[in-house]
Amino acid sequence: MPVRGSCHCGNVQIELPEWPAWVADCNCSLCRRTAWRTAYYPPETVRITGETKAYIWGDRMIGIHHCPTCGCGTHWDTLGEDFGKMGVNARLLDGFDEAAIEVRKFDNRG
Ligand SMILES: [Zn+2]
């Protein structure tokens, strides 16, 4: 059963094939500021509609998207190289409950 979500203003709509089994809590210089809880999916299984703006930094391998209206981080995707996955901010999913899902700490401090 598909899982849906949206940014705060509703401009960006997300549809995923199912709930993630776990989400990542990463401490890199960006995630520690934005507090994403990232779920990973093959890009072809994710549907995202609505305008987003990409933030590109560091090694320029991924674009980190947010809603330009309300500012919510929505997803990241590759800028070229095929990773076979993309990241979706699970905080935007309807009914997301951090206490009810496995949270894996990623140590990417630097
Ligand atoms: Zn929005």
Side-chain angles (χ1 to χ4, degrees):
M1 197 165 135
V3 176
R4 292 189 172 81
S6 69
C7 66
H8 192 262
C9 74
N11 162 50
V12 182
Q13 301 285 328
I14 298 172
E15 192 179 305
L16 304 171
E18 60 197 359
W19 276 98
W22 56 274
V23 295
D25 174 3
C26 171
N27 63 359
C28 81
S29 59
L30 183 62
C31 288
R32 77 180 166 81
R33 290 175 167 87
T34 59
W36 282 42
R37 293 293 176 268
T38 310
Y40 300 91
Y41 291 89
E44 65 273 15
T45 67
V46 175
R47 216 163 76 98
I48 293 174
T49 56
E51 182 199 0
T52 60
K53 186 166 167 43
Y55 174 52
I56 298 163
W57 65 295
D59 54 20
R60 305 183 68 83
M61 291 176 72
I62 61 172
I64 298 147
H65 291 255
H66 66 271
C67 170
T69 303
C70 69
C72 289
T74 56
H75 65 291
W76 67 254
D77 203 357
T78 180
L79 294 176
E81 190 176 338
D82 184 4
F83 300 134
K85 66 178 180 182
M86 61 180 284
V88 175
N89 188 359
R91 286 194 184 276
L92 272 51
L93 301 178
D94 298 341
F96 176 72
D97 178 3
E98 190 171 53
I101 197 162
E102 180 189 349
V103 179
R104 297 187 187 173
K105 300 271 187 189
F106 281 16
D107 189 5
N108 293 314
R109 204 168 15 197

